[in-house]
Amino acid sequence: MRTAPTILHLDMDAFFASAEQAAKPSLRGKAVVVGGLGPRGVVATASYEARVFGVHSALPMAQARRLAPNAAYLVPRFTLYREVSEQVMGLLGALSPLVEPLSLDEAFVDLEAGAAAWDEASARLAGAKLRADIRAVTGLTGSVGLAASKMLAKIASEQAKPDGLVVIEPGTERALLGPMSVRTLPGVGPATGDHLRRAGITTVDEIAEAGEDELVRLVGKAHGHALYAMALAHDERPVVAERETKSVSVEDTYDVDIHDRMRVGLEVQRLADRCVRRLRDAGLSGRTIVLKVRRYDFSTLTRSETLRGPTDDPGVVREAAARLLEAVDTTGGVRLLGVGVSGLADYTQEDLFAQAQAQALAEAEAAAGESAVLEHPDEQEAEEVAAEPAPPAERRWPAGHDVRHVEYGHGWVQGSGLGRVTVRFETPYSEPGRVRTFRTDDVALELADPLPLVRGAVCDRRGG
């Protein structure tokens, strides 16, 4: 084990909710809940103001609304969160080549590997500078834990929340861990915690006192050995640099089950296009197309097809996903759909047959006088075979998402329904703005990209 607290754990504070508060001046200092807003939705993140009412991540959204009826409830904006995450990870990468991201808002850093710290004083300085840099670049706060191991660094960052820095000095670990709950240790979830509690073990000190043999008897060989070592503050796990991406996928959960087969097909095509955009943003291609379908009874089916070579052609991915869907019975209703690509490579071996087929189709459309530029070409095919043309779909205005009006400028959706959408016009750099209501089909109003949270910050625009 190291002799200096040179492993850093960063955890952004209430990340999604804090990003929304930074983007929306009218929500600063108020309860904000981000997550799925439908009847099956769950809380992704709650601001600290909302946590006072008992709202927390993974809580059913219906229960959150009962606990905090006056909070702002918003749909996640992952485009913004990914952009801010990339800024934060860039700051971490400047500290060390060994950065291990755990999620968009959490990572370990080996400061010693980057010569950013070598003792307690230098580690504390590096942690303080990182927190200041994160605030300057993103406008958000992060909590930093520093220790000689990953386990202890994460515990330290939990103690530092919100917006703090905690250093666990080598030699003090056992005294710190002893009175803590067994749930503090990695891998001890509710089931293991209850099992240990029934055996009279509730604290880390009691784990150490029980002994390794007793722990192996209680929770099994592998878990028992690991648990005993952690209770003694032994954690030799290294910080592992970002692992190679194994797959790229997107999925949507629907508030109401989809029964119409044509609608299911169109959703799969839309997801395939989103997946390809994400694939191309990463500079990747893939050979295996994967379709995920969760049906009305919660049964989940996964179907896959492997191509002759890697591709990032949206037409090829759409066709493969459509073929996979043909083998799935959706008559009872669908609650979730997903499309993914695996078997990734950093080059593309084009499917020449598919290209030729696409070219022939384009020529036929041109000869018939049809438009050659369609956002969703399969939607037109669906309309042609329908008995009557389908009415245009009503535009969706997710709560919290960005919009732009030709007269009033940039704003965000406060809510929509009954053919109306309510918008508050403000930016991250303005005073709280005014609220106006429009028809959902108002041509002067359109969805927009998120603005950087800090004026002048550069954000890459990525799909998602």
Side-chain angles (χ1 to χ4, degrees), residues 401-423:
H401 280 226
D402 298 83
V403 294
R404 178 167 292 280
H405 190 275
V406 293
E407 179 180 354
Y408 301 111
H410 193 94
W412 57 278
V413 176
Q414 280 202 325
S416 63
L418 301 178
R420 297 287 188 270
V421 54
T422 301
V423 177

Side-chain angles (χ1 to χ4, degrees), residues 420-448:
R420 297 287 188 270
V421 54
T422 301
V423 177
R424 184 180 290 274
F425 289 97
E426 60 186 5
T427 73
Y429 339 113
S430 72
E431 296 295 320
R434 296 185 61 184
V435 174
R436 297 182 184 275
T437 299
F438 307 90
R439 291 176 56 90
T440 54
D441 60 356
D442 192 327
V443 295
L445 188 69
E446 62 181 3
L447 290 172

Side-chain angles (χ1 to χ4, degrees), residues 127-373:
K129 183 178 185 303
L130 173 64
R131 292 179 58 239
D133 288 345
I134 288 173
R135 185 185 289 273
V137 171
T138 70
L140 305 180
T141 64
S143 295
V144 168
L146 290 154
S149 70
K150 290 168 69 173
M151 177 186 74
L152 292 165
K154 184 172 176 60
I155 290 172
S157 70
E158 286 295 322
Q159 293 183 325
K161 282 186 166 293
D163 191 20
L165 183 151
V166 168
V167 180
I168 298 178
E169 301 177 21
T172 66
E173 299 95 345
R174 289 289 303 277
L176 174 75
L177 284 175
M180 290 185 173
S181 165
V182 296
R183 292 289 304 277
T184 304
L185 300 180
V188 181
T192 302
D194 285 345
H195 192 60
L196 292 171
R197 180 181 53 78
R198 287 194 293 270
I201 299 172
T202 59
T203 68
V204 176
D205 261 346
E206 289 169 345
I207 290 179
E209 292 168 2
E212 192 168 13
D213 291 342
E214 176 65 7
L215 291 169
V216 168
R217 188 186 68 81
L218 286 171
V219 298
K221 186 174 181 180
H223 202 178
H225 288 314
L227 204 56
Y228 183 67
M230 288 187 293
L232 300 180
H234 296 161
D235 178 18
E236 301 297 333
R237 294 175 299 160
V239 175
V240 180
E242 187 169 8
R243 296 172 176 83
E244 182 180 357
T245 302
K246 301 296 184 183
S247 64
V248 173
S249 62
V250 297
E251 62 182 42
D252 276 346
T253 301
Y254 304 99
D255 293 339
V256 179
D257 290 346
I258 303 175
H259 292 83
D260 182 77
R261 182 73 176 186
M262 184 181 297
R263 167 84 188 282
V264 172
L266 293 176
E267 288 294 318
V268 167
Q269 300 296 287
R270 183 179 62 81
L271 289 166
D273 287 342
R274 280 176 53 195
C275 183
V276 169
R277 286 199 298 270
R278 187 170 296 180
L279 195 70
R280 288 182 168 181
D281 285 343
L284 297 170
S285 59
R287 295 184 65 227
T288 301
I289 314 303
V290 181
L291 175 70
K292 177 180 177 182
V293 179
R294 181 166 296 150
R295 299 188 292 191
Y296 70 98
D297 58 357
F298 287 88
S299 62
T300 301
L301 304 177
T302 303
R303 300 288 184 267
S304 64
E305 175 182 319
T306 299
L307 309 175
R308 288 174 292 176
T311 184
D312 64 353
D313 186 317
V316 173
V317 176
R318 281 199 302 265
E319 289 174 10
R323 286 193 297 271
L324 294 170
L325 180 62
E326 290 174 1
V328 178
D329 180 10
T330 62
T331 52
V334 171
R335 58 184 291 116
L336 177 147
L337 290 168
V339 174
V341 177
S342 60
L344 302 182
D346 57 2
Y347 67 95
T348 302
Q349 180 178 317
E350 297 294 354
D351 188 329
L352 298 179
F353 176 77
Q355 281 190 328
Q357 190 177 46
Q359 183 176 354
L361 178 61
E363 290 173 354
E365 289 176 348
E370 295 176 354
S371 171
V373 182

Side-chain angles (χ1 to χ4, degrees), residues 14 17 30-37 41-74:
K30 297 181 180 179
V32 174
V33 180
V34 180
L37 303 189
V42 297
V43 175
T45 309
S47 70
Y48 287 99
E49 295 86 353
R51 296 180 191 188
V52 171
F53 298 99
V55 180
H56 56 80
S57 61
L59 186 74
M61 191 61 77
Q63 187 175 348
R65 289 185 183 276
R66 289 194 293 271
L67 293 172
N70 296 321
Y73 289 86
L74 308 176

Side-chain angles (χ1 to χ4, degrees), residues 73-97:
Y73 289 86
L74 308 176
V75 175
R77 294 188 297 158
F78 287 105
T79 298
L80 172 65
Y81 309 150
R82 280 193 293 270
E83 288 171 350
V84 176
S85 176
E86 288 172 4
Q87 292 174 318
V88 172
M89 296 303 166
L91 294 173
L92 299 182
L95 288 174
S96 172

